[in-house]
Amino acid sequence: MPKGRGIVLGIAVSLLLHGALIYLWRHVQPPIRPDTAPRVESIAVWIRPLAARPPPPVEVVKPKREAKPLSKPKLATTRETPAAATAPAASPQAIMVVPASPAMPAASADTLTQETPKFDMDAAKRTARKMAGERDPSKVGTAVGQIPDMPLQTETQLARDIAQGKRGDCRTAYSGAGLLAPVLMLLDKKDSGCKW
């Protein structure tokens, strides 16, 4: 039997067996076993926020009105028009409109400068400088208040790194190495060791 024919025959048999297993799996169902295990029922509990209760009704207490004698409305002063002055009052509950008092005369510039306080910038700067040197009042009397404050840094981190990175003088860089100084100078990388 040639080799190619055996492979084809093996694939065909495999396909037939797989097809038969799938057919049996779909059509033959296993018997249903009775459920003998105790039933466990789950209960879902939802917690809802309390509904906001409406506030209790507020009793409105109305003050008792005292009977006051009705007085005649006052006549308006100088700004009233003659037609309004002669109009008869329709009822005792009529409202009389009295014009507002005339506006105050415009204040002069001298009175404004005397009354308006000015902001003193120098006094504000002095107060700020004085407060900048004081300790934090919330730390007084605590353990944290006993730790001295760190001094203010005048250089940035970059400036400090540049100052530490400068190359030293070769006459003094390896002075403590003695006879090994030339060997250590040769072991330094170019442009990273000392400078002549």
Side-chain angles (χ1 to χ4, degrees), residues 129-150:
R129 286 186 191 113
K130 179 182 164 192
M131 290 177 64
E134 294 177 358
R135 303 274 319 239
D136 186 8
S138 64
K139 294 180 183 177
V140 174
T142 63
V144 176
Q146 297 175 2
I147 300 172
D149 291 334
M150 293 185 64

Side-chain angles (χ1 to χ4, degrees), residues 1-9:
M1 196 189 236
K3 191 174 187 181
R5 226 172 153 197
I7 292 175
V8 171
L9 184 62

Side-chain angles (χ1 to χ4, degrees), residues 120-134:
D120 188 8
M121 183 64 100
D122 294 329
K125 286 180 182 178
R126 281 193 304 271
T127 306
R129 286 186 191 113
K130 179 182 164 192
M131 290 177 64
E134 294 177 358

